[in-house]
Amino acid sequence: DQLVQGVITAVAASAEGHDVLLEILIALPEELFNRKIAIDPDRRAAARHKILQETNVALNAAATIFQAPVDPQVAPHRQAKSLRVLSSWLDAHVKSHEIDPPPNSQPVRTSPLAREMADAPLFRFALEGIRASHETLLRPSGDVCVAVLSLMREVTPHPDTDRAIVLAIAEALAQGGEKMKMGSNIDACLVACEVLSALAREHFPYLYYYHEPSRPLLDRLADLATHFMSAVGSRGIGESPWEVATSALGVWSHLLDHQTPQLHEMAIGIAAGGAQVIPLVSTDRSAVRQELRELLKPLFTKMVSVLMEVLRYPKACETQQDFQFTLFHQFRDECATLLTESCRLVGYTHALNTVGQQLERFKQEGAGQGVVLPPWEALEGCLFVLTAVAPRAPAGEDNVIPQTLEALPSLPYPSSGVAAVLLRQTASRLVYFT
């Protein structure tokens, strides 16, 4: 009847069995969703629910092994396995909730298991792994945090315990992120982006609206996401930096995708239960949505300015024979999508005026003493931004687009090489799309 407890009793009788037990406890919840085992769906569901009822038994065993004395050289790897046990069982609950949502009309705002993490030693250790950006522990620590946030996805606004858990993750990531920014560990950056995305899906915008004291911390996380977005330029050209930059774009996309219409309804339900929240400025759903947009607008305005720099061709594309144009163009297309969607929040004027100011500066530099040609990649980047923004910008409300179109024939196009092709190609696309 007690499968997990039976396995623990049989395997963990000696210290030599600890590593074996951890591997079993990692694999067991994953096998609950293994479709290669042909059994009746009802029987599968019954087995899944029965085994998941022993989650605390498995986690207590992992915590005991985690705290047991061990050789210092072995400790980090055993600690990492203990954290993987925690993330594996948390993930199993996430999947189980997706397959069989609770049968009531109200959304589940917090899994009891997620709330128990507030006092769980393994969860506190996962936070330390994030905070220290520990090479061995960072990946499993990040997986734990993502799973916890997934079990709390519909908490809005957060009761005190739930908010404390989310803010603890955010604080640990903000501290660890400073170390990641100074290093060159690509996997660490990817872990940070995954946790940032989990925060951005639901918790970031709602905390920003309801919990004003957390806004400086959330601003730091937004800056961290923007930093990772520029990984392509700062880390050189290679497959992993593109992956980091693309993951960071996803963080901002999640912020744009949050379901703000639910904000008002969920707030009323929790406020009625006595949760301490910032009073709504308005009970009108559209007004709440507009208030949140205004709060997030400065963050997106800053991000858009960086994004317009990031999407430029790197200098290496002219000289590096194995420059990965396909990866860059995929990344750039995602940049263009994020840029146009973000302009719906911050307004198209910001992007258009920024491009207009850059083009005017290029013009003035070229008109001075001596011929000062603008960097072709900067000029091409301006045209690319206009191509992305122009189709959605209100027609006839700016001078930048028509003036640029008039100036296209007289631009200082390079006479040869990759730059000559790329700049002319982008100029042609601007004409086509406008």
Side-chain angles (χ1 to χ4, degrees), residues 18 63-70 78:
H18 285 175
T64 300
I65 296 175
F66 172 81
Q67 295 170 330
V70 68
R78 182 167 292 180

Side-chain angles (χ1 to χ4, degrees), residues 4-5 30 56 101 107 120 129 168 182 203-204 216-217 259 282 301 321 335 356 378 380 391 405 407 419 427:
V4 177
Q5 183 60 64
E30 297 172 354
N56 284 330
M182 294 185 292
H203 305 286
F204 190 109
L217 171 60
Q259 300 297 313
S282 171
T301 300
Q321 293 183 352
C335 287
E380 192 275 344
L405 289 173

Side-chain angles (χ1 to χ4, degrees), residues 153-173:
R153 183 173 294 178
E154 298 182 75
V155 183
T156 310
H158 305 275
D160 292 341
T161 301
D162 306 333
R163 183 190 297 135
I165 292 173
V166 176
L167 290 179
I169 294 174
E171 181 63 42
L173 183 58

Side-chain angles (χ1 to χ4, degrees), residues 330-352:
Q330 291 173 351
F331 168 72
R332 209 181 195 204
D333 287 342
E334 294 193 34
C335 287
T337 300
L338 179 60
L339 175 63
T340 54
E341 293 300 321
S342 297
C343 284
R344 296 174 60 185
L345 177 65
V346 304
Y348 293 93
T349 303
H350 173 67
L352 292 172

Side-chain angles (χ1 to χ4, degrees), residues 32 42 44-54 96 100:
L32 296 178
D42 292 338
R44 182 192 302 277
R48 181 174 69 247
H49 291 303
K50 187 174 182 178
I51 292 178
L52 288 180
Q53 288 176 355
E54 295 189 76
S96 183
D100 299 314

Side-chain angles (χ1 to χ4, degrees), residues 122-432:
L122 280 179
F123 176 65
R124 291 198 297 270
F125 192 75
L127 294 179
E128 184 56 36
I130 295 286
R131 192 177 293 113
S133 189
H134 193 284
E135 183 176 356
T136 304
L137 302 178
L138 183 58
R139 167 57 64 181
S141 297
D143 291 342
V144 168
C145 291
V146 169
V148 170
L149 292 171
S150 297
L151 287 171
M152 305 175 69
R153 183 173 294 178
E154 298 182 75
V155 183
T156 310
H158 305 275
D160 292 341
T161 301
D162 306 333
R163 183 190 297 135
I165 292 173
V166 176
L167 290 179
I169 294 174
E171 181 63 42
L173 183 58
Q175 293 180 19
E178 294 303 315
K179 298 179 181 179
M180 298 174 199
K181 287 164 63 175
M182 294 185 292
S184 57
N185 187 332
I186 297 298
D187 190 59
C189 298
L190 290 173
V191 171
C193 288
E194 290 170 11
V195 180
L196 283 170
S197 291
L199 284 165
R201 287 189 193 102
E202 295 289 341
H203 305 286
F204 190 109
Y206 298 149
L207 276 174
Y208 215 89
Y209 186 88
Y210 283 106
H211 193 241
E212 187 172 358
S214 67
R215 289 177 190 167
L217 171 60
L218 298 174
D219 289 343
R220 290 168 61 192
L221 295 183
D223 289 341
L224 185 62
T226 301
H227 172 81
F228 289 140
M229 189 175 67
S230 60
V232 169
S234 61
R235 302 291 176 85
I237 305 302
E239 189 168 343
S240 293
W242 299 101
E243 191 176 356
V244 172
T246 302
S247 296
L249 293 181
V251 175
W252 290 101
S253 296
H254 284 308
L255 280 178
L256 286 173
D257 291 342
H258 63 80
Q259 300 297 313
T260 48
Q262 297 176 358
L263 186 66
H264 172 65
E265 296 172 352
M266 300 179 77
I268 290 177
I270 296 181
Q276 295 181 355
V277 299
I278 295 176
L280 291 174
V281 178
S282 171
T283 56
D284 179 74
R285 191 181 299 175
S286 61
V288 170
R289 185 159 57 251
Q290 183 59 34
E291 291 160 16
L292 181 58
R293 287 168 63 91
E294 290 301 316
L295 286 172
L296 296 178
K297 188 174 180 179
L299 299 182
F300 275 87
T301 300
K302 184 176 180 180
M303 182 276 294
V304 165
S305 298
V306 175
L307 185 63
M308 293 169 65
E309 300 286 334
V310 169
L311 54 74
R312 293 180 179 179
Y313 277 100
K315 275 287 188 183
C317 73
E318 293 185 87
T319 58
Q320 190 169 323
Q321 293 183 352
D322 60 346
F323 181 82
Q324 299 174 347
F325 280 99
T326 300
L327 284 175
F328 179 76
H329 291 154
Q330 291 173 351
F331 168 72
R332 209 181 195 204
D333 287 342
E334 294 193 34
C335 287
T337 300
L338 179 60
L339 175 63
T340 54
E341 293 300 321
S342 297
C343 284
R344 296 174 60 185
L345 177 65
V346 304
Y348 293 93
T349 303
H350 173 67
L352 292 172
N353 287 347
T354 300
V355 170
Q357 292 167 5
Q358 291 178 344
L359 293 176
E360 182 62 27
R361 185 172 69 252
F362 294 155
K363 181 179 179 181
Q364 292 176 357
E365 291 173 350
Q369 293 183 353
V371 178
V372 180
L373 296 179
W376 73 267
E377 66 274 12
L379 184 56
E380 192 275 344
C382 289
L383 300 184
F384 183 85
V385 170
L386 291 182
T387 304
V389 172
R392 293 193 179 185
E397 295 186 10
D398 75 281
N399 296 322
V400 176
I401 295 174
Q403 290 177 358
T404 303
L405 289 173
E406 291 179 4
L408 285 181
S410 58
L411 292 181
Y413 296 98
S415 58
S416 62
V418 173
V421 176
L422 294 177
L423 183 55
R424 286 176 170 81
Q425 174 181 283
T426 303
S428 300
R429 291 181 73 250
L430 176 60
V431 174
Y432 179 81

